[in-house]
Amino acid sequence: MIVIRILLVGFLFSWFGFICLIGNIIFLPLIAIRLNRIKFFENIARDLVYLAWKFFIFCTKILGYLDYEFKDCSRLGKPSQIIIANHPSLLDVVFILSKVRRINCVVKSDLAKNIFLSPAIKAANYIVNSEDEELLNKSLSVLKSGDSLLIFPEGTRTKDSISFHKAPFYIAIHGAKILTPIFIDMNPRSLQKGVKWYKTPKSKIKYKIKISDDLILDKFLIDKPNTIRVKTLHKQMNEIYQKEIKC
């Protein structure tokens, strides 16, 4: 049984790579002639990512690798909405981008160098996590322009506990209108940081993705300086997620 699961995981990794390569046939010309700088073509690139990853998630479910519960997705993708989430596995960003059309997101710098994913990231103008002022400025700019933005505040995949960086909450306070937390529960755990892809559980993986209540940032501690608002929001979200992961 475990051999079959390993073969299935190997096939799905290969299938994901093939889907990416097909998309790159479209993405690379867009980048080469800089059409991705035009909003219309940026939207086309994001739509292709949305459709391709929706198809991939469908394949993982049909083939019995995983099952999931992800309700109320219509609440995501609002103008100037920042969406934060914990990050237990490699597929978290695939799930969310396959459910929220044309959302922007912050991606790891390593992915921007990946032969399969780099063209999609550049064509869709996703923000690379450069860990400097460029990240802050680009994130603030896209939120103020009306884009919704997905950030994983841990900056990497969750290990044993959740610890958020402060930068996403600085971005939220200074650029967003709404903050929406997403809680991702995965059982059994798989595709974690530092774990080989073939170390797969024997049973079907089940994801439960819960969207929490929106936080209207215009009303959050509006009588306090932004430095206090950022610090408080950072602390509150850390505490909320730490409690959630223990439930």
Side-chain angles (χ1 to χ4, degrees), residues 83-224:
I83 300 164
I84 65 170
N86 58 309
H87 197 5
S89 82
L90 197 61
L91 288 180
D92 306 327
V93 66
V94 178
F95 267 110
I96 297 172
L97 292 188
S98 73
K99 293 292 183 178
V100 190
R101 188 181 175 201
R102 295 182 181 174
I103 187 174
N104 204 329
C105 70
V106 175
V107 299
K108 287 181 64 177
S109 56
D110 290 350
L111 297 181
K113 302 171 186 176
N114 184 289
I115 188 173
F116 297 101
L117 297 172
S118 176
I121 290 169
K122 291 178 181 177
N125 291 317
Y126 295 141
I127 300 169
V128 177
N129 186 354
S130 54
E131 297 183 353
D132 57 19
E133 282 193 22
E134 185 179 3
L135 167 64
L136 297 178
N137 292 335
K138 285 184 177 180
S139 298
L140 291 172
S141 177
V142 301
L143 283 166
K144 289 177 179 178
S145 73
D147 271 7
S148 52
L149 179 65
L150 170 64
I151 297 182
F152 295 96
E154 292 167 279
T156 187
R157 275 172 276 169
T158 309
K159 287 191 175 180
D160 299 320
S161 62
I162 290 177
S163 179
F164 288 161
H165 296 291
K166 191 177 287 186
F169 304 99
Y170 176 94
I171 293 166
I173 291 296
H174 288 84
K177 294 180 179 178
I178 305 167
L179 183 146
T180 304
I182 294 180
F183 302 101
I184 303 174
D185 179 60
M186 178 191 195
N187 187 41
R189 297 291 295 274
S190 182
L191 301 175
Q192 297 168 270
K193 186 176 178 65
V195 177
K196 300 295 185 182
W197 65 267
Y198 51 81
K199 297 290 185 180
T200 185
K202 297 179 182 179
S203 58
K204 182 187 292 188
I205 297 168
K206 295 182 180 179
Y207 281 87
K208 185 174 182 180
I209 304 172
K210 183 175 72 175
I211 304 172
S212 190
D213 294 336
D214 294 337
L215 177 62
I216 307 303
L217 295 170
D218 288 343
K219 299 179 180 179
F220 180 75
L221 298 180
I222 55 174
D223 58 332
K224 302 290 184 182

